[in-house]
Amino acid sequence: MGAAGSQSSRLGVFDLVRGLSVVSMVLFHLCYDLKFIVGVDLGWFAPPFQDVWRRSISWTFLFVAGCMCPLSRDNLRRAAQYGAVALAIWVVTTLAAVDVPISFGIIYCMAACTLVFWALDRLGLAPRGVAAAVVLVALFLLLQGLPDGTVGLPGATLELPRSLYATPWLSWLGLPGPHFSSGDYYPLLPYLFLYLAGAALGARWKSRGYPEWAKRAHVAPLNFVGRHALVIYVAHQPLILGACALVGSL
């Protein structure tokens, strides 16, 4: 969700895609708050549709952020900025106690993944190319069930030892402890692999040059939203919750 490069050198396609995802995210959270906080009957807002919608948003954010890593001038600073926002979100959601506090949510995931990419890049180990991206996506899909104690694909899964989930100190990694809960949970694994897949493709596109259509892709309102995705992410939930509280009081 962070910016990379100056205004004049921005790639319009990334802002456009993020803008679409931000709009989708705001609508998703509006539906969530109306159903689970206000009590509005939204029977259609339920799994599996709800899960698919959520993943379409978060997976896009993480993949695009990974694509932009090779374009960033300072990924360490980006990671620190994300980390500061993630900490603030945890503090605010804990104190507000409107819903389950957010521990290791998607902004934390962005911070952790960006930090890992920065370290790999410094060591000359950052993934590059289509083949690396394909392998990383495969790993991401195979580890989708990791927080629930399984690995593999539907119909061919392997149960992991429950002892891996006995400690409360590995929830950040993707092994939630016995009493862990969060209103938004995106641990380092498996999402790091999706992020690095984006970085691998981003490095390839950067070396070969982006096509003109990617640079010029522009729908003014959506590109504006995409350029300010992090600010909107932080601000939208308090605004939606305030509006829902007003509706509930009528």
Side-chain angles (χ1 to χ4, degrees):
M1 285 186 235
S6 66
Q7 179 72 17
S8 60
S9 63
R10 295 186 71 91
L11 287 162
V13 66
F14 289 145
D15 287 334
L16 179 59
V17 172
R18 288 189 307 179
L20 284 168
S21 294
V22 168
V23 172
S24 182
M25 173 191 68
V26 171
L27 292 174
F28 179 91
H29 285 154
L30 175 61
C31 293
Y32 181 94
D33 292 349
L34 285 173
K35 180 173 182 176
F36 295 107
I37 295 178
V38 178
V40 176
D41 182 15
L42 298 178
W44 54 269
F45 188 70
F49 173 75
Q50 182 181 338
D51 296 332
V52 172
W53 190 2
R54 180 191 297 111
R55 288 171 181 170
S56 73
I57 300 165
S58 59
W59 292 11
T60 299
F61 278 147
L62 289 168
F63 181 78
V64 170
C67 289
M68 297 182 71
C69 264
L71 301 173
S72 176
R73 291 189 293 265
D74 192 344
N75 279 305
L76 183 59
R77 185 175 68 176
R78 288 178 71 213
Q81 289 172 338
Y82 290 140
V85 173
L87 178 60
I89 290 172
W90 173 76
V91 170
V92 170
T93 56
T94 299
L95 295 176
V98 175
D99 201 353
V100 180
I102 294 176
S103 301
F104 309 120
I106 193 166
I107 302 300
Y108 150 79
C109 189
M110 303 273 276
C113 291
T114 305
L115 182 61
V116 170
F117 175 85
W118 172 82
L120 291 175
D121 195 41
R122 295 276 291 186
L123 295 171
L125 299 175
R128 288 177 171 80
V130 175
V134 170
V135 171
L136 288 163
V137 169
L139 289 171
F140 169 67
L141 294 175
L142 286 171
L143 293 180
Q144 276 295 292
L146 181 65
D148 298 318
T150 64
V151 295
L153 297 175
T157 59
L158 174 67
E159 293 283 341
L160 295 176
R162 295 313 303 171
S163 58
L164 294 174
Y165 301 83
T167 174
W169 304 111
L170 294 178
S171 298
W172 61 272
L173 180 62
L175 305 172
H179 304 296
F180 177 79
S181 64
S182 178
D184 184 40
Y185 185 45
Y186 288 90
L188 186 61
L189 299 178
Y191 297 98
L192 173 64
F193 295 119
L194 179 62
Y195 190 97
L196 291 179
L201 291 178
R204 181 179 187 273
W205 293 331
K206 180 183 178 183
S207 65
R208 291 176 173 239
Y210 281 86
E212 282 300 315
W213 67 262
K215 299 176 183 178
R216 299 178 181 275
H218 188 78
V219 177
L222 293 177
N223 284 63
F224 176 84
V225 170
R227 287 196 303 272
H228 301 90
L230 186 58
V231 173
I232 295 172
Y233 178 88
V234 172
H236 82 284
Q237 268 290 48
L239 293 175
I240 291 176
L241 286 170
C244 288
L246 181 60
V247 171
S249 65
L250 296 178

